[in-house]
Structures are given as C-alpha cells and as structure tokens.
C-alpha cells in the first residue's frame, strides 16, 4: 500500500509540475481551461458566470456540472495554478479505487 501511495504522490507531483510549466510558458492549449477559468474568476469576484469564450450568459448554459462550484474557492485562493494542481490530484487519486477494484477481481499475482 505504501508503494501505491508513493506512486500516486509522484504522479501528482510530475503532472502538477508539467501542467504549471505549460501554463506559465503559455503552452496550455486546453479550450476548457479558458472556459472554466474565466467563469471561476467571475464567480470568485462576484461578477456572475457570463462567459465570453462560449458567448453564453452562464456557464451552466453550456456545461451542467454543479460540482465545479466547489472549485471556485480554489481558484480564488490559488489562481489558475490551483485548478491545474487540483485536476492533476483528482486524476492521480483515481488510481486508488482502480487498484481496489482490480485487487478484488484479479488474481493476486496481477493486482
């Protein structure tokens, strides 16, 4: 279990670092990053969620993801970098339930 935690932590560090470096060097190419970042910025400053990227009056006119509202405080406190690190952490932490699923269903030699 320690080895899995070490791999997850290492992956989080690598993916977070790569995402931050790409962003800081203006190489971030994700359309959704701009879409969500603009809405997060507007929400965190009390400006509503109008979005000029998709030209919609609210982000929910394009994406119905109420769970993203939990990311607004992260954006307010840490900026876009906080969103990139959170994204990397969520993706990497998915390895744990995948491991548990595989451990139950595969022979011990494979899990």
């Amino acid at each position: 279990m320690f080895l899995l935690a070490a791999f997850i932590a290492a992956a989080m560090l690598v993916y977070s670092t790569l995402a931050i470096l790409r962003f800081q060097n203006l190489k971030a190419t994700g359309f959704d990053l701009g879409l969500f970042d603009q809405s997060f910025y507007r929400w965190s400053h009390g400006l509503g969620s109008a979005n000029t990227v998709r030209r919609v009056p609210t982000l929910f006119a394009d994406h119905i993801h109420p769970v993203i509202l939990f990311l607004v405080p992260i954006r307010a406190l840490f900026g876009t970098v906080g969103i990139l690190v959170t994204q990397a952490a969520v993706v990497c932490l998915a390895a744990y339930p995948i491991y548990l699923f595989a451990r139950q269903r595969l022979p011990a030699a494979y899990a």
Side-chain angles (χ1 to χ4, degrees), residues 67-80:
V67 73
I68 64 173
L69 293 174
F70 292 111
L71 297 175
V72 173
I74 293 171
R75 170 59 172 86
L77 293 173
F78 304 107
T80 305

Side-chain angles (χ1 to χ4, degrees), residues 43-56:
W43 275 325
S44 65
H45 288 86
L47 301 173
S49 66
N51 195 289
T52 61
V53 176
R54 295 292 284 179
R55 296 187 179 124
V56 292

Side-chain angles (χ1 to χ4, degrees), residues 75-87:
R75 170 59 172 86
L77 293 173
F78 304 107
T80 305
V81 170
I83 298 299
L84 295 171
V85 171
T86 302
Q87 179 183 16

Side-chain angles (χ1 to χ4, degrees), residues 32 35-36 40 43 59-71:
D32 279 349
L35 178 77
F36 287 107
F40 292 159
W43 275 325
L59 182 64
F60 292 125
D62 184 55
H63 287 78
I64 303 295
H65 300 106
V67 73
I68 64 173
L69 293 174
F70 292 111
L71 297 175

